[in-house]
Amino acid sequence: MSEIKVKLTEKILTVLLLLITVGALTIHPAQEISISTLGGDKLDTIFNIVSYLILFYFLLLYWKGFLYVTTKSPLQFLLITIVIFSLLWSGDLSSSLTYMRGLIRLYFLAIYLAMRYSLREQMRLIAWALGVSALLSMIFSAFIPGYIHQSPELVGMWSGIYGHKNELGYMMAWSTGVFLHLALSSHRYSWLMWGICGISICLIILSRSTTSLTIILTMILLLPVYKSFQKTNYKLQVILITSTLMLLIIGLMLLINNADTVVGTSGKDLTFNGRSDLWELVMSKIWERPWLGYGFSGFWTSTSASNLRATYDWASNAHNGFLELLLELGFLGFLTFAAGFFRFFVMALTRIISVAKKPEDYWPMQMLIIIVIVNFSEARLLTPSWNWLMYVTTSLSLTLEYERNNKNILVSNYEVKKNESFTS
């Protein structure tokens, strides 16, 4: 099936939407200087309004396509439905409504991207947005005062256009991943891809984000593993995949059981800057409302969190995406997400084995690596953020791609049988 032809005007609007979503147009100085965007909060509001208007235009233009794509991924639709109904038991209705709007907006943007662009086209579009954010972060932190942290605990760490070094490192992990895989796929402008990839890595180093460096190292080490899946027969593929998963599980168990040794040698305290103590209290709160949770974004500003916030005044979330999801939507929401996540994993792995021709085709699986590693220490699993957009749109795109491939196989088989009957 040929790729959909998209008009230039529509592509420009799509890039504008992605630039807004990636944060390239709402530039934040280092947080200790200001939490407002360059130009004030009104500029942020204007860009939000613009994004809603563009999405509303696309919704009117392709409403049948939106409905079609939504029905093809019932698990994600069910998760969004649970989020909406969680308003009924939310601990803070105002906070839930505020963040829910952003989550649903990105859900519609994800549907639009999956509907109108192939995965390869999406990579090039998000490369534009992430490339602009990388270049702006380098320029602002290198040449303009106020975009490098000055507070004692973060002094000298670059924050770029994102206001905090962790946010810069997180976004540059995505940028490095995209440009690395595009550069390895031998595109015409591979020199440019390598250049922006290098800038993104430099920004990660200057932000001193160890989590982001771990992500990049993991993605690079996994590249030959993915390649080996393609060169082996089915039985060996199963053995390799099973062995890889077992090694990852064993490695994680060894890391947990020997955390004192590992953390001690890395120069960090055993409690991961207080996170492990926080996680114990979060777990106790989860067991108080295990099935439905406290509502989407409804816990941390509610009275239920008052004692916990008093103990850990720096905690505005669980600092773990999986615990945060359990806290907000309980096991109902968590198991719904987990089912969709597993489906994503299977489709991404199938793509590597059956479809992949270039390193860029490994990107969906590499994306899951980013999501898992980041959400071990940060709560970005189900938030109105870049993480959510990339997860949903790639999952939807894989679903549509899988369906198209099946249709093509059926058509091919029909044509073969038709020719055989004609010749006989």
PDB file of all heavy atoms in Angstrom, residues 230-255:
ATOM      1  N   GLN A 230      17.503 -10.848  12.852  1.00  0.00           N
ATOM      2  CA  GLN A 230      17.116 -10.913  11.452  1.00  0.00           C
ATOM      3  C   GLN A 230      17.872 -12.003  10.689  1.00  0.00           C
ATOM      4  O   GLN A 230      17.396 -12.494   9.676  1.00  0.00           O
ATOM      5  CB  GLN A 230      17.384  -9.567  10.778  1.00  0.00           C
ATOM      6  CG  GLN A 230      16.558  -8.420  11.365  1.00  0.00           C
ATOM      7  CD  GLN A 230      16.982  -7.100  10.750  1.00  0.00           C
ATOM      8  OE1 GLN A 230      17.889  -6.427  11.226  1.00  0.00           O
ATOM      9  NE2 GLN A 230      16.330  -6.726   9.674  1.00  0.00           N
ATOM     10  N   LYS A 231      19.063 -12.371  11.161  1.00  0.00           N
ATOM     11  CA  LYS A 231      19.923 -13.291  10.427  1.00  0.00           C
ATOM     12  C   LYS A 231      19.762 -14.751  10.849  1.00  0.00           C
ATOM     13  O   LYS A 231      20.496 -15.616  10.395  1.00  0.00           O
ATOM     14  CB  LYS A 231      21.388 -12.871  10.598  1.00  0.00           C
ATOM     15  CG  LYS A 231      21.717 -11.520   9.967  1.00  0.00           C
ATOM     16  CD  LYS A 231      23.188 -11.193  10.130  1.00  0.00           C
ATOM     17  CE  LYS A 231      23.525  -9.884   9.430  1.00  0.00           C
ATOM     18  NZ  LYS A 231      24.966  -9.539   9.585  1.00  0.00           N
ATOM     19  N   THR A 232      18.847 -15.012  11.737  1.00  0.00           N
ATOM     20  CA  THR A 232      18.692 -16.370  12.258  1.00  0.00           C
ATOM     21  C   THR A 232      17.316 -16.933  11.909  1.00  0.00           C
ATOM     22  O   THR A 232      16.396 -16.191  11.576  1.00  0.00           O
ATOM     23  CB  THR A 232      18.863 -16.380  13.785  1.00  0.00           C
ATOM     24  OG1 THR A 232      17.956 -15.435  14.371  1.00  0.00           O
ATOM     25  CG2 THR A 232      20.286 -16.004  14.178  1.00  0.00           C
ATOM     26  N   ASN A 233      17.190 -18.257  12.023  1.00  0.00           N
ATOM     27  CA  ASN A 233      15.895 -18.879  11.748  1.00  0.00           C
ATOM     28  C   ASN A 233      14.951 -18.698  12.932  1.00  0.00           C
ATOM     29  O   ASN A 233      15.342 -18.191  13.986  1.00  0.00           O
ATOM     30  CB  ASN A 233      16.054 -20.363  11.413  1.00  0.00           C
ATOM     31  CG  ASN A 233      16.744 -21.134  12.534  1.00  0.00           C
ATOM     32  OD1 ASN A 233      16.445 -20.939  13.712  1.00  0.00           O
ATOM     33  ND2 ASN A 233      17.669 -22.015  12.172  1.00  0.00           N
ATOM     34  N   TYR A 234      13.725 -19.140  12.738  1.00  0.00           N
ATOM     35  CA  TYR A 234      12.674 -18.880  13.733  1.00  0.00           C
ATOM     36  C   TYR A 234      13.023 -19.442  15.106  1.00  0.00           C
ATOM     37  O   TYR A 234      12.887 -18.765  16.119  1.00  0.00           O
ATOM     38  CB  TYR A 234      11.346 -19.451  13.248  1.00  0.00           C
ATOM     39  CG  TYR A 234      10.229 -19.310  14.240  1.00  0.00           C
ATOM     40  CD1 TYR A 234       9.615 -18.073  14.460  1.00  0.00           C
ATOM     41  CD2 TYR A 234       9.794 -20.416  14.979  1.00  0.00           C
ATOM     42  CE1 TYR A 234       8.596 -17.949  15.389  1.00  0.00           C
ATOM     43  CE2 TYR A 234       8.765 -20.291  15.902  1.00  0.00           C
ATOM     44  CZ  TYR A 234       8.174 -19.064  16.105  1.00  0.00           C
ATOM     45  OH  TYR A 234       7.173 -18.933  17.024  1.00  0.00           O
ATOM     46  N   LYS A 235      13.492 -20.706  15.141  1.00  0.00           N
ATOM     47  CA  LYS A 235      13.785 -21.343  16.423  1.00  0.00           C
ATOM     48  C   LYS A 235      14.899 -20.609  17.164  1.00  0.00           C
ATOM     49  O   LYS A 235      14.823 -20.405  18.377  1.00  0.00           O
ATOM     50  CB  LYS A 235      14.179 -22.806  16.204  1.00  0.00           C
ATOM     51  CG  LYS A 235      13.023 -23.703  15.767  1.00  0.00           C
ATOM     52  CD  LYS A 235      13.471 -25.139  15.599  1.00  0.00           C
ATOM     53  CE  LYS A 235      12.292 -26.024  15.174  1.00  0.00           C
ATOM     54  NZ  LYS A 235      12.717 -27.442  14.979  1.00  0.00           N
ATOM     55  N   LEU A 236      15.921 -20.194  16.421  1.00  0.00           N
ATOM     56  CA  LEU A 236      17.032 -19.484  17.050  1.00  0.00           C
ATOM     57  C   LEU A 236      16.596 -18.099  17.517  1.00  0.00           C
ATOM     58  O   LEU A 236      17.077 -17.585  18.534  1.00  0.00           O
ATOM     59  CB  LEU A 236      18.202 -19.367  16.070  1.00  0.00           C
ATOM     60  CG  LEU A 236      19.562 -18.971  16.663  1.00  0.00           C
ATOM     61  CD1 LEU A 236      19.934 -19.888  17.826  1.00  0.00           C
ATOM     62  CD2 LEU A 236      20.633 -19.004  15.582  1.00  0.00           C
ATOM     63  N   GLN A 237      15.678 -17.481  16.777  1.00  0.00           N
ATOM     64  CA  GLN A 237      15.129 -16.181  17.185  1.00  0.00           C
ATOM     65  C   GLN A 237      14.439 -16.300  18.541  1.00  0.00           C
ATOM     66  O   GLN A 237      14.625 -15.458  19.422  1.00  0.00           O
ATOM     67  CB  GLN A 237      14.136 -15.680  16.134  1.00  0.00           C
ATOM     68  CG  GLN A 237      14.791 -15.150  14.872  1.00  0.00           C
ATOM     69  CD  GLN A 237      13.779 -14.876  13.789  1.00  0.00           C
ATOM     70  OE1 GLN A 237      12.576 -15.103  13.959  1.00  0.00           O
ATOM     71  NE2 GLN A 237      14.242 -14.363  12.660  1.00  0.00           N
ATOM     72  N   VAL A 238      13.638 -17.344  18.692  1.00  0.00           N
ATOM     73  CA  VAL A 238      12.940 -17.560  19.969  1.00  0.00           C
ATOM     74  C   VAL A 238      13.948 -17.736  21.101  1.00  0.00           C
ATOM     75  O   VAL A 238      13.797 -17.172  22.192  1.00  0.00           O
ATOM     76  CB  VAL A 238      12.011 -18.793  19.878  1.00  0.00           C
ATOM     77  CG1 VAL A 238      11.428 -19.124  21.253  1.00  0.00           C
ATOM     78  CG2 VAL A 238      10.901 -18.545  18.873  1.00  0.00           C
ATOM     79  N   ILE A 239      15.004 -18.520  20.835  1.00  0.00           N
ATOM     80  CA  ILE A 239      16.040 -18.753  21.856  1.00  0.00           C
ATOM     81  C   ILE A 239      16.746 -17.449  22.215  1.00  0.00           C
ATOM     82  O   ILE A 239      16.960 -17.135  23.395  1.00  0.00           O
ATOM     83  CB  ILE A 239      17.060 -19.808  21.357  1.00  0.00           C
ATOM     84  CG1 ILE A 239      16.381 -21.171  21.212  1.00  0.00           C
ATOM     85  CG2 ILE A 239      18.248 -19.904  22.316  1.00  0.00           C
ATOM     86  CD1 ILE A 239      17.240 -22.208  20.519  1.00  0.00           C
ATOM     87  N   LEU A 240      17.107 -16.647  21.191  1.00  0.00           N
ATOM     88  CA  LEU A 240      17.801 -15.378  21.422  1.00  0.00           C
ATOM     89  C   LEU A 240      16.936 -14.401  22.204  1.00  0.00           C
ATOM     90  O   LEU A 240      17.393 -13.753  23.144  1.00  0.00           O
ATOM     91  CB  LEU A 240      18.214 -14.756  20.084  1.00  0.00           C
ATOM     92  CG  LEU A 240      19.439 -15.348  19.392  1.00  0.00           C
ATOM     93  CD1 LEU A 240      19.564 -14.803  17.977  1.00  0.00           C
ATOM     94  CD2 LEU A 240      20.702 -15.047  20.190  1.00  0.00           C
ATOM     95  N   ILE A 241      15.667 -14.298  21.811  1.00  0.00           N
ATOM     96  CA  ILE A 241      14.753 -13.373  22.495  1.00  0.00           C
ATOM     97  C   ILE A 241      14.551 -13.792  23.942  1.00  0.00           C
ATOM     98  O   ILE A 241      14.612 -12.969  24.861  1.00  0.00           O
ATOM     99  CB  ILE A 241      13.396 -13.308  21.751  1.00  0.00           C
ATOM    100  CG1 ILE A 241      13.586 -12.654  20.377  1.00  0.00           C
ATOM    101  CG2 ILE A 241      12.375 -12.525  22.570  1.00  0.00           C
ATOM    102  CD1 ILE A 241      12.398 -12.852  19.455  1.00  0.00           C
ATOM    103  N   THR A 242      14.321 -15.092  24.148  1.00  0.00           N
ATOM    104  CA  THR A 242      14.122 -15.605  25.508  1.00  0.00           C
ATOM    105  C   THR A 242      15.368 -15.386  26.359  1.00  0.00           C
ATOM    106  O   THR A 242      15.277 -14.958  27.524  1.00  0.00           O
ATOM    107  CB  THR A 242      13.781 -17.108  25.471  1.00  0.00           C
ATOM    108  OG1 THR A 242      12.653 -17.315  24.624  1.00  0.00           O
ATOM    109  CG2 THR A 242      13.460 -17.626  26.864  1.00  0.00           C
ATOM    110  N   SER A 243      16.542 -15.661  25.781  1.00  0.00           N
ATOM    111  CA  SER A 243      17.804 -15.479  26.511  1.00  0.00           C
ATOM    112  C   SER A 243      18.017 -14.023  26.876  1.00  0.00           C
ATOM    113  O   SER A 243      18.432 -13.702  27.995  1.00  0.00           O
ATOM    114  CB  SER A 243      18.975 -15.993  25.672  1.00  0.00           C
ATOM    115  OG  SER A 243      18.828 -17.350  25.365  1.00  0.00           O
ATOM    116  N   THR A 244      17.722 -13.123  25.932  1.00  0.00           N
ATOM    117  CA  THR A 244      17.889 -11.684  26.188  1.00  0.00           C
ATOM    118  C   THR A 244      16.984 -11.222  27.317  1.00  0.00           C
ATOM    119  O   THR A 244      17.414 -10.497  28.226  1.00  0.00           O
ATOM    120  CB  THR A 244      17.578 -10.873  24.910  1.00  0.00           C
ATOM    121  OG1 THR A 244      18.441 -11.311  23.857  1.00  0.00           O
ATOM    122  CG2 THR A 244      17.794  -9.387  25.141  1.00  0.00           C
ATOM    123  N   LEU A 245      15.711 -11.649  27.271  1.00  0.00           N
ATOM    124  CA  LEU A 245      14.775 -11.270  28.325  1.00  0.00           C
ATOM    125  C   LEU A 245      15.205 -11.826  29.686  1.00  0.00           C
ATOM    126  O   LEU A 245      15.128 -11.133  30.709  1.00  0.00           O
ATOM    127  CB  LEU A 245      13.367 -11.758  27.977  1.00  0.00           C
ATOM    128  CG  LEU A 245      12.665 -11.042  26.816  1.00  0.00           C
ATOM    129  CD1 LEU A 245      11.362 -11.730  26.479  1.00  0.00           C
ATOM    130  CD2 LEU A 245      12.423  -9.578  27.155  1.00  0.00           C
ATOM    131  N   MET A 246      15.680 -13.077  29.693  1.00  0.00           N
ATOM    132  CA  MET A 246      16.130 -13.683  30.948  1.00  0.00           C
ATOM    133  C   MET A 246      17.344 -12.947  31.508  1.00  0.00           C
ATOM    134  O   MET A 246      17.432 -12.701  32.717  1.00  0.00           O
ATOM    135  CB  MET A 246      16.468 -15.161  30.717  1.00  0.00           C
ATOM    136  CG  MET A 246      15.250 -16.060  30.531  1.00  0.00           C
ATOM    137  SD  MET A 246      15.692 -17.795  30.237  1.00  0.00           S
ATOM    138  CE  MET A 246      16.423 -18.222  31.826  1.00  0.00           C
ATOM    139  N   LEU A 247      18.278 -12.564  30.622  1.00  0.00           N
ATOM    140  CA  LEU A 247      19.463 -11.820  31.067  1.00  0.00           C
ATOM    141  C   LEU A 247      19.078 -10.462  31.644  1.00  0.00           C
ATOM    142  O   LEU A 247      19.639 -10.018  32.648  1.00  0.00           O
ATOM    143  CB  LEU A 247      20.441 -11.653  29.902  1.00  0.00           C
ATOM    144  CG  LEU A 247      21.244 -12.896  29.493  1.00  0.00           C
ATOM    145  CD1 LEU A 247      22.014 -12.633  28.206  1.00  0.00           C
ATOM    146  CD2 LEU A 247      22.206 -13.303  30.615  1.00  0.00           C
ATOM    147  N   LEU A 248      18.105  -9.811  30.988  1.00  0.00           N
ATOM    148  CA  LEU A 248      17.643  -8.509  31.492  1.00  0.00           C
ATOM    149  C   LEU A 248      16.998  -8.651  32.867  1.00  0.00           C
ATOM    150  O   LEU A 248      17.231  -7.847  33.770  1.00  0.00           O
ATOM    151  CB  LEU A 248      16.656  -7.886  30.506  1.00  0.00           C
ATOM    152  CG  LEU A 248      17.241  -7.334  29.202  1.00  0.00           C
ATOM    153  CD1 LEU A 248      16.128  -6.924  28.255  1.00  0.00           C
ATOM    154  CD2 LEU A 248      18.161  -6.140  29.476  1.00  0.00           C
ATOM    155  N   ILE A 249      16.161  -9.698  33.027  1.00  0.00           N
ATOM    156  CA  ILE A 249      15.492  -9.937  34.313  1.00  0.00           C
ATOM    157  C   ILE A 249      16.507 -10.280  35.391  1.00  0.00           C
ATOM    158  O   ILE A 249      16.466  -9.742  36.509  1.00  0.00           O
ATOM    159  CB  ILE A 249      14.440 -11.060  34.168  1.00  0.00           C
ATOM    160  CG1 ILE A 249      13.288 -10.596  33.262  1.00  0.00           C
ATOM    161  CG2 ILE A 249      13.890 -11.461  35.538  1.00  0.00           C
ATOM    162  CD1 ILE A 249      12.352 -11.717  32.846  1.00  0.00           C
ATOM    163  N   ILE A 250      17.460 -11.173  35.057  1.00  0.00           N
ATOM    164  CA  ILE A 250      18.503 -11.549  36.028  1.00  0.00           C
ATOM    165  C   ILE A 250      19.361 -10.340  36.398  1.00  0.00           C
ATOM    166  O   ILE A 250      19.682 -10.125  37.572  1.00  0.00           O
ATOM    167  CB  ILE A 250      19.384 -12.687  35.443  1.00  0.00           C
ATOM    168  CG1 ILE A 250      18.567 -13.975  35.330  1.00  0.00           C
ATOM    169  CG2 ILE A 250      20.614 -12.924  36.331  1.00  0.00           C
ATOM    170  CD1 ILE A 250      19.263 -15.068  34.539  1.00  0.00           C
ATOM    171  N   GLY A 251      19.697  -9.539  35.378  1.00  0.00           N
ATOM    172  CA  GLY A 251      20.497  -8.342  35.639  1.00  0.00           C
ATOM    173  C   GLY A 251      19.784  -7.363  36.557  1.00  0.00           C
ATOM    174  O   GLY A 251      20.379  -6.778  37.465  1.00  0.00           O
ATOM    175  N   LEU A 252      18.465  -7.201  36.328  1.00  0.00           N
ATOM    176  CA  LEU A 252      17.680  -6.311  37.180  1.00  0.00           C
ATOM    177  C   LEU A 252      17.607  -6.831  38.607  1.00  0.00           C
ATOM    178  O   LEU A 252      17.733  -6.063  39.569  1.00  0.00           O
ATOM    179  CB  LEU A 252      16.267  -6.163  36.596  1.00  0.00           C
ATOM    180  CG  LEU A 252      15.326  -5.195  37.316  1.00  0.00           C
ATOM    181  CD1 LEU A 252      15.899  -3.786  37.316  1.00  0.00           C
ATOM    182  CD2 LEU A 252      13.946  -5.214  36.668  1.00  0.00           C
ATOM    183  N   MET A 253      17.431  -8.156  38.749  1.00  0.00           N
ATOM    184  CA  MET A 253      17.369  -8.757  40.081  1.00  0.00           C
ATOM    185  C   MET A 253      18.707  -8.598  40.813  1.00  0.00           C
ATOM    186  O   MET A 253      18.746  -8.281  42.004  1.00  0.00           O
ATOM    187  CB  MET A 253      16.996 -10.231  39.970  1.00  0.00           C
ATOM    188  CG  MET A 253      15.555 -10.473  39.533  1.00  0.00           C
ATOM    189  SD  MET A 253      15.198 -12.235  39.251  1.00  0.00           S
ATOM    190  CE  MET A 253      15.358 -12.865  40.924  1.00  0.00           C
ATOM    191  N   LEU A 254      19.819  -8.810  40.086  1.00  0.00           N
ATOM    192  CA  LEU A 254      21.139  -8.637  40.699  1.00  0.00           C
ATOM    193  C   LEU A 254      21.362  -7.187  41.105  1.00  0.00           C
ATOM    194  O   LEU A 254      21.945  -6.903  42.155  1.00  0.00           O
ATOM    195  CB  LEU A 254      22.228  -9.081  39.712  1.00  0.00           C
ATOM    196  CG  LEU A 254      22.363 -10.593  39.470  1.00  0.00           C
ATOM    197  CD1 LEU A 254      23.342 -10.857  38.340  1.00  0.00           C
ATOM    198  CD2 LEU A 254      22.819 -11.297  40.750  1.00  0.00           C
ATOM    199  N   LEU A 255      20.875  -6.256  40.258  1.00  0.00           N
ATOM    200  CA  LEU A 255      21.024  -4.837  40.567  1.00  0.00           C
ATOM    201  C   LEU A 255      20.265  -4.470  41.834  1.00  0.00           C
ATOM    202  O   LEU A 255      20.771  -3.741  42.695  1.00  0.00           O
ATOM    203  CB  LEU A 255      20.507  -3.999  39.391  1.00  0.00           C
ATOM    204  CG  LEU A 255      20.573  -2.473  39.543  1.00  0.00           C
ATOM    205  CD1 LEU A 255      22.012  -2.017  39.680  1.00  0.00           C
ATOM    206  CD2 LEU A 255      19.905  -1.794  38.362  1.00  0.00           C
TER     207      LEU A 255
END
